[in-house]
């Protein structure tokens, strides 16, 4: 495996993100990065980002969790942020991303009683981990995400996004994040989203992730996702659905989750107002408060 590692100086002077990076080794000789906020003895809340962002996305969420006495752990998926980046798209598979993240959380950090928060690809990975290791999970938060198995068609806007990512001669990471936000990102914020990728050779992860989403019933990841659905529908764990009111990509998943998953019963599920796909950017503090209230009340 040919591995690239973003130079640390690319992450200098990140606005509103003072957290010191931490690292752990995961399978395939890779180093995975994460940051923490809050007391080390607090209940762990794992924050998983999606395509094409990194843990910087959670900079407004983490202080709210820390203030509630929780241990916020924001992860950089392999291929993103400060984590190592396999340079060949073929090295990225859905199964590998699940295993890399599982190894970080359970082998390296030895977490238990975890609240998993997933948005976008963070949900596709986090929901699989929760279903496959329920003994380590206390709660689940799904925020603008889902668990596709290829049995239900994806919306046309998602196919347009997938094709744009695959075909773009130069993949403009900051522009993709901006397109998923209601608020206007400053130049400094846009630069922070570009920071992990010095040139196109570092972008195999963002390039390939849309094509790893199961969109046909015979996709290699479809059986594992169907199995995960079977577990999640009856899993006795509190499950919060915290979607924004303006996400054309995953918005249709909210009612499916609420109807299908027994852990959603009896909970008040917030709709985050005035936010797009990247609700952490548009309303991160509000999302953080909702997560904190959910964890401390269950």
């Amino acid at each position: 495996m040919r591995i690239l590692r973003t130079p640390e100086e690319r992450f200098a002077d990140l606005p509103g993100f003072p957290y010191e990076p931490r690292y752990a080794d995961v399978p395939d000789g890779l180093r995975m990065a994460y940051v923490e906020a809050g007391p080390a003895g607090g209940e762990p809340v794992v924050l998983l980002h999606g395509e094409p962002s990194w843990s910087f996305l959670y900079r407004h969420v983490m202080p709210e969790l820390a203030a509630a006495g929780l241990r916020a752990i924001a992860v950089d998926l392999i291929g993103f942020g400060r984590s190592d980046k396999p340079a060949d798209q073929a090295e990225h598979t859905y199964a590998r991303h699940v295993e890399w993240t599982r190894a970080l959380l359970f082998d390296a950090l030895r977490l238990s009683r975890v609240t998993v928060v997933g948005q976008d690809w963070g949900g596709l990975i986090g929901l699989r981990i929760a279903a496959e290791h329920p003994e380590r999970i206390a709660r689940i938060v799904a925020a603008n995400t889902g668990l596709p198995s290829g049995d239900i068609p994806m919306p046309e806007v998602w196919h347009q996004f997938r094709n744009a990512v695959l075909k773009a001669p130069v993949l403009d990471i900051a522009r993709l994040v901006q397109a998923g936000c209601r608020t206007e990102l400053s130049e400094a914020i846009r630069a922070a989203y570009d920071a992990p990728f010095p040139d196109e050779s570092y972008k195999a992860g963002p390039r390939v992730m849309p094509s790893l989403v199961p969109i046909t019933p015979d996709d290699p990841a479809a059986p594992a996702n169907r199995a995960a659905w079977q577990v999640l529908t009856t899993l006795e764990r509190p499950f919060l659905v915290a979607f924004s009111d303006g996400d054309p990509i995953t918005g249709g998943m909210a009612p499916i989750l609420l109807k299908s998953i027994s852990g959603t019963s009896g909970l008040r599920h917030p709709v985050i107002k005035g936010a797009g796909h990247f609700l952490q950017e548009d309303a991160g503090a509000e999302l953080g408060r909702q997560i904190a209230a959910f964890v401390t009340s269950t």
Side-chain angles (χ1 to χ4, degrees):
M1 183 182 292
R2 187 165 58 94
I3 300 170
L4 301 176
R5 183 169 292 174
T6 304
E8 184 57 33
E9 56 265 26
R10 294 275 302 181
F11 299 101
D13 301 320
L14 295 167
F17 197 68
Y19 309 104
E20 286 296 317
R22 308 182 186 199
Y23 300 97
D25 294 329
V26 297
D28 301 309
L30 294 164
R31 188 180 76 167
M32 203 162 181
Y34 63 100
V35 295
E36 292 197 19
E43 284 215 43
V45 181
V46 171
L47 306 168
L48 299 176
H49 69 85
E51 157 85 355
S53 62
W54 60 295
S55 57
F56 179 76
L57 181 68
Y58 282 101
R59 69 194 181 281
H60 300 307
V61 176
M62 295 174 70
E64 301 294 334
L65 302 180
L70 304 173
R71 180 187 178 191
I73 304 169
V75 174
D76 290 343
L77 300 180
I78 290 295
F80 299 81
R82 290 184 170 102
S83 289
D84 282 349
K85 298 169 180 64
D88 299 321
Q89 292 186 27
E91 301 288 3
H92 294 263
T93 68
Y94 195 152
R96 272 183 160 174
H97 277 279
V98 171
E99 173 57 16
W100 289 327
T101 308
R102 183 212 64 80
L104 173 70
L105 302 183
F106 302 150
D107 296 346
L109 299 183
R110 301 184 181 277
L111 299 177
S112 60
R113 287 196 53 77
V114 176
T115 298
V116 176
V117 179
Q119 183 260 341
D120 192 87
W121 255 104
L124 272 71
I125 294 169
L127 292 174
R128 277 277 299 275
I129 290 173
E132 293 169 8
H133 305 277
E135 73 283 357
R136 309 293 283 266
I137 304 301
R139 305 167 198 81
I140 302 166
V141 179
N144 288 2
T145 192
L147 189 64
S149 62
D151 300 308
I152 298 174
M154 297 291 282
E156 180 57 32
V157 65
W158 182 87
H159 288 282
Q160 294 170 3
F161 168 77
R162 177 178 182 270
N163 292 336
V165 170
L166 289 173
K167 295 177 180 178
V170 175
L171 192 61
D172 190 336
I173 300 295
R175 182 181 178 187
L176 290 176
V177 177
Q178 177 65 82
C181 297
R182 293 277 188 89
T183 52
E184 187 69 25
L185 303 183
S186 70
E187 287 304 313
I189 300 298
R190 292 171 71 102
Y193 283 114
D194 285 331
F197 311 105
D199 59 49
E200 293 303 301
S201 68
Y202 286 77
K203 298 177 184 177
R207 283 275 187 191
V208 76
M209 292 301 265
S211 65
L212 300 183
V213 176
I215 59 173
T216 60
D218 60 350
D219 186 279
N225 279 17
R226 290 192 197 102
W229 266 110
Q230 298 219 335
V231 173
L232 292 170
T233 53
T234 58
L235 185 64
E236 295 300 319
R237 300 289 187 279
F239 191 115
L240 187 72
V241 178
F243 276 49
S244 72
D245 62 352
D247 183 10
I249 298 176
T250 65
M253 280 303 304
I256 296 173
L257 293 169
L258 290 167
K259 178 181 178 181
S260 304
I261 295 181
S262 61
T264 63
S265 180
L267 298 174
R268 174 188 164 274
H269 300 276
V271 175
I272 309 297
K273 304 269 185 204
H277 181 63
F278 294 109
L279 70 172
Q280 303 97 320
E281 271 295 338
D282 290 327
E286 174 62 16
L287 177 63
R289 287 190 289 269
Q290 294 289 348
I291 296 169
F294 167 61
V295 174
T296 57
S297 66
T298 53

